[in-house]
Every structure is written in C-alpha cells, then in structure tokens.
Amino acid sequence: MGALKPWHIAVLVVLLILLFGAKRLPDAARSLGRSLRIIKAETKGLVDDDKGDLAEKADAQAGRQPLPPQQVQQQPAQTPPPVVDPVQRSRDVI
C-alpha cells in the first residue's frame, strides 16, 4: 500500500473520461469551481458578520441600565382539582 504514483493518476483520468465523456468533465470542473467560490464567499461573509456582531454586542452592553425594581404581588394559591378514581366514578354513575 504505497503512495499514489503517477500511473495511478493516469488510470484515474482515463476512467473519468470514459465514464463521463470529454465534454462533461470541463463543465463539471467549472461548476465545482463556482460552487467552491460561492462557499468561500459565504464563509467569509459569516466570519465578517461575527466580527461585527461582537462589536455591536460590546456597544449594546455598555449602554445597558438595570430595570427598576417591581413589587411582586402574591396571588392566592390555587388548589388543584381533587383526583377521582375512574372506577369510583363509574360506580357513581350507575
């Protein structure tokens, strides 16, 4: 199991040309290149957005002020409805 040798690459290229045809290979390579450019641009945009978000978050946190304390009103505790046994309920109905 040695390294990849030049004749391995030549056999691979010949197989690709036989499988896909000489006309489709340049189109496939072109579309692959476009896809990679799009992915690169999107990831660069995400990184730039993250850097901008950090600066905005730092500015937003510096301008924060605590909310005024509010009085908490206690509500009366509600008792849950009593649990009724289904067997007892069917006996009550009859």
Side-chain angles (χ1 to χ4, degrees):
M1 296 289 171
L4 193 65
K5 297 185 178 170
W7 69 271
H8 289 120
I9 296 172
V11 169
L12 183 64
V13 168
V14 170
L15 285 174
L16 287 173
I17 290 173
L18 289 175
L19 286 174
F20 296 107
K23 184 176 181 183
R24 285 191 175 181
L25 283 178
D27 293 337
R30 198 173 301 118
S31 65
L32 180 65
R34 286 181 188 148
S35 299
L36 291 176
R37 267 187 259 130
I38 291 170
I39 290 172
K40 183 179 176 183
E42 290 296 324
T43 54
K44 184 179 178 185
L46 289 174
V47 169
D48 292 343
D49 285 347
D50 288 343
K51 288 180 183 176
D53 288 344
L54 291 176
E56 289 174 10
K57 286 181 183 177
D59 291 342
Q61 288 180 355
R64 284 189 190 175
Q65 294 183 3
L67 293 174
Q70 297 177 354
Q71 294 181 354
V72 179
Q73 296 178 356
Q74 292 184 357
Q75 296 181 0
Q78 297 178 354
T79 57
V83 179
V84 179
D85 185 23
V87 176
Q88 184 67 28
R89 183 180 293 168
S90 65
R91 288 182 190 158
D92 291 342
V93 174
I94 296 177

mmCIF file of all heavy atoms in Angstrom, residues 12-23 25:
data_model
loop_
_atom_site.group_PDB
_atom_site.id
_atom_site.type_symbol
_atom_site.label_atom_id
_atom_site.label_comp_id
_atom_site.label_asym_id
_atom_site.label_seq_id
_atom_site.Cartn_x
_atom_site.Cartn_y
_atom_site.Cartn_z
ATOM 1 N N LEU A 12 -6.813 6.879 -13.414
ATOM 2 C CA LEU A 12 -7.995 7.559 -12.897
ATOM 3 C C LEU A 12 -8.550 8.560 -13.909
ATOM 4 O O LEU A 12 -9.760 8.625 -14.144
ATOM 5 C CB LEU A 12 -7.662 8.266 -11.575
ATOM 6 C CG LEU A 12 -8.812 8.958 -10.868
ATOM 7 C CD1 LEU A 12 -9.861 7.949 -10.437
ATOM 8 C CD2 LEU A 12 -8.309 9.732 -9.689
ATOM 9 N N VAL A 13 -7.672 9.320 -14.546
ATOM 10 C CA VAL A 13 -8.109 10.291 -15.558
ATOM 11 C C VAL A 13 -8.751 9.581 -16.740
ATOM 12 O O VAL A 13 -9.797 10.003 -17.248
ATOM 13 C CB VAL A 13 -6.919 11.177 -15.999
ATOM 14 C CG1 VAL A 13 -7.261 11.985 -17.242
ATOM 15 C CG2 VAL A 13 -6.482 12.076 -14.872
ATOM 16 N N VAL A 14 -8.157 8.492 -17.201
ATOM 17 C CA VAL A 14 -8.723 7.731 -18.321
ATOM 18 C C VAL A 14 -10.099 7.188 -17.955
ATOM 19 O O VAL A 14 -11.048 7.260 -18.746
ATOM 20 C CB VAL A 14 -7.761 6.598 -18.751
ATOM 21 C CG1 VAL A 14 -8.428 5.646 -19.731
ATOM 22 C CG2 VAL A 14 -6.496 7.182 -19.356
ATOM 23 N N LEU A 15 -10.244 6.664 -16.756
ATOM 24 C CA LEU A 15 -11.544 6.143 -16.318
ATOM 25 C C LEU A 15 -12.596 7.253 -16.248
ATOM 26 O O LEU A 15 -13.747 7.055 -16.655
ATOM 27 C CB LEU A 15 -11.419 5.457 -14.963
ATOM 28 C CG LEU A 15 -10.771 4.080 -14.974
ATOM 29 C CD1 LEU A 15 -10.582 3.574 -13.546
ATOM 30 C CD2 LEU A 15 -11.623 3.096 -15.762
ATOM 31 N N LEU A 16 -12.207 8.409 -15.743
ATOM 32 C CA LEU A 16 -13.145 9.525 -15.673
ATOM 33 C C LEU A 16 -13.597 9.959 -17.069
ATOM 34 O O LEU A 16 -14.780 10.243 -17.293
ATOM 35 C CB LEU A 16 -12.537 10.708 -14.928
ATOM 36 C CG LEU A 16 -12.409 10.553 -13.416
ATOM 37 C CD1 LEU A 16 -11.639 11.721 -12.825
ATOM 38 C CD2 LEU A 16 -13.779 10.451 -12.786
ATOM 39 N N ILE A 17 -12.662 10.004 -18.011
ATOM 40 C CA ILE A 17 -13.016 10.398 -19.371
ATOM 41 C C ILE A 17 -13.938 9.357 -20.002
ATOM 42 O O ILE A 17 -14.911 9.703 -20.686
ATOM 43 C CB ILE A 17 -11.744 10.599 -20.224
ATOM 44 C CG1 ILE A 17 -11.012 11.842 -19.744
ATOM 45 C CG2 ILE A 17 -12.080 10.716 -21.709
ATOM 46 C CD1 ILE A 17 -9.660 12.058 -20.385
ATOM 47 N N LEU A 18 -13.680 8.088 -19.751
ATOM 48 C CA LEU A 18 -14.547 7.038 -20.295
ATOM 49 C C LEU A 18 -15.945 7.067 -19.673
ATOM 50 O O LEU A 18 -16.939 6.853 -20.361
ATOM 51 C CB LEU A 18 -13.910 5.660 -20.092
ATOM 52 C CG LEU A 18 -12.691 5.356 -20.966
ATOM 53 C CD1 LEU A 18 -12.101 4.007 -20.561
ATOM 54 C CD2 LEU A 18 -13.074 5.351 -22.435
ATOM 55 N N LEU A 19 -16.007 7.321 -18.371
ATOM 56 C CA LEU A 19 -17.310 7.312 -17.694
ATOM 57 C C LEU A 19 -18.147 8.537 -18.035
ATOM 58 O O LEU A 19 -19.344 8.426 -18.320
ATOM 59 C CB LEU A 19 -17.115 7.233 -16.177
ATOM 60 C CG LEU A 19 -16.678 5.884 -15.627
ATOM 61 C CD1 LEU A 19 -16.388 5.998 -14.137
ATOM 62 C CD2 LEU A 19 -17.752 4.836 -15.855
ATOM 63 N N PHE A 20 -17.556 9.704 -17.976
ATOM 64 C CA PHE A 20 -18.332 10.931 -18.118
ATOM 65 C C PHE A 20 -18.234 11.574 -19.495
ATOM 66 O O PHE A 20 -19.044 12.411 -19.845
ATOM 67 C CB PHE A 20 -17.901 11.953 -17.056
ATOM 68 C CG PHE A 20 -18.183 11.497 -15.658
ATOM 69 C CD1 PHE A 20 -17.148 11.102 -14.832
ATOM 70 C CD2 PHE A 20 -19.477 11.444 -15.180
ATOM 71 C CE1 PHE A 20 -17.406 10.675 -13.541
ATOM 72 C CE2 PHE A 20 -19.737 11.020 -13.900
ATOM 73 C CZ PHE A 20 -18.698 10.627 -13.082
ATOM 74 N N GLY A 21 -17.246 11.222 -20.245
ATOM 75 C CA GLY A 21 -17.078 11.826 -21.560
ATOM 76 C C GLY A 21 -16.242 13.084 -21.477
ATOM 77 O O GLY A 21 -16.208 13.775 -20.457
ATOM 78 N N ALA A 22 -15.577 13.404 -22.576
ATOM 79 C CA ALA A 22 -14.657 14.542 -22.602
ATOM 80 C C ALA A 22 -15.402 15.862 -22.523
ATOM 81 O O ALA A 22 -14.854 16.867 -22.086
ATOM 82 C CB ALA A 22 -13.804 14.477 -23.865
ATOM 83 N N LYS A 23 -16.669 15.890 -22.955
ATOM 84 C CA LYS A 23 -17.415 17.148 -22.951
ATOM 85 C C LYS A 23 -17.926 17.502 -21.549
ATOM 86 O O LYS A 23 -17.966 18.666 -21.163
ATOM 87 C CB LYS A 23 -18.588 17.057 -23.919
ATOM 88 C CG LYS A 23 -19.341 18.357 -24.041
ATOM 89 C CD LYS A 23 -20.420 18.288 -25.060
ATOM 90 C CE LYS A 23 -21.108 19.646 -25.133
ATOM 91 N NZ LYS A 23 -22.205 19.643 -26.055
ATOM 92 N N LEU A 25 -16.646 16.645 -18.526
ATOM 93 C CA LEU A 25 -15.634 16.901 -17.497
ATOM 94 C C LEU A 25 -15.318 18.385 -17.325
ATOM 95 O O LEU A 25 -15.270 18.865 -16.190
ATOM 96 C CB LEU A 25 -14.362 16.104 -17.789
ATOM 97 C CG LEU A 25 -14.446 14.618 -17.441
ATOM 98 C CD1 LEU A 25 -13.145 13.921 -17.810
ATOM 99 C CD2 LEU A 25 -14.737 14.417 -15.977
#
